[in-house]
């Protein structure tokens, strides 16, 4: 499984790299903690919405959730839909708030 650490994600953002950060948590979770600039598609909606995301098929897509389990499932869904460069954010937004940005709330 292709993964991305929160440190790698921060470096990519700092450099201005081109990628899609896809948050697959539920909408209410976004009101608690979020990373600016992330696109949001709840995991439960992803299988039916994957076709509308087809413009991302050949871009790097980094999936994230709370701790990394739902985003691992999202990674599988997108890979099965033909996405070629999908990564899972190890530790999710929890790791981001602990290791990178303590201003992001933990829950």
């Amino acid at each position: 499984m292709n993964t991305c650490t929160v440190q790698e994600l921060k470096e990519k953002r700092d450099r201005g790299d081109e990628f899609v950060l896809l948050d697959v948590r539920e909408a209410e979770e976004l009101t608690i903690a979020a990373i600016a600039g992330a696109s949001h598609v709840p995991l439960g909606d992803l299988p039916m919405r994957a076709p509308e995301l087809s413009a991302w098929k050949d871009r790097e897509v980094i999936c994230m959730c709370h701790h990394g389990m739902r985003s691992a499932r999202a990674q599988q869904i997108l890979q099965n839909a033909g996405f070629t460069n999908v990564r899972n954010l190890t530790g999710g937004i929890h790791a981001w708030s602990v290791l990178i940005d303590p201003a992001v709330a933990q829950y």
Side-chain angles (χ1 to χ4, degrees):
M1 182 173 293
N2 196 359
T3 60
C4 178
T5 67
V6 291
Q7 292 87 354
E8 287 176 283
L9 176 59
K10 181 181 184 320
E11 291 167 7
K12 291 174 90 42
R13 289 170 56 99
D14 289 349
R15 283 192 307 262
D17 290 1
E18 289 291 321
F19 64 93
V20 176
L21 181 59
L22 178 62
D23 193 328
V24 298
R25 297 175 299 144
E26 296 300 317
E28 54 272 9
E29 291 177 278
L30 287 149
T31 65
I32 300 168
I35 297 176
S39 298
H40 177 241
V41 177
L43 180 62
D45 295 347
L46 193 56
M48 67 185 136
R49 291 187 58 192
E52 78 184 56
L53 309 177
S54 63
W56 301 345
K57 276 196 173 191
D58 295 318
R59 292 184 64 193
E60 180 179 19
V61 178
I62 301 172
C63 299
M64 64 166 280
C65 65
H66 189 196
H67 286 106
M69 298 303 292
R70 285 176 283 178
S71 53
R73 178 68 186 121
Q75 180 182 25
Q76 292 174 334
I77 291 167
L78 291 176
Q79 287 172 333
N80 290 343
F83 287 69
T84 59
N85 187 7
V86 185
R87 300 173 73 189
N88 182 25
L89 185 65
T90 306
I93 197 161
H94 178 79
W96 180 265
S97 65
V98 170
L99 300 171
I100 304 297
D101 187 356
V104 174
Q106 294 181 43
Y107 66 100

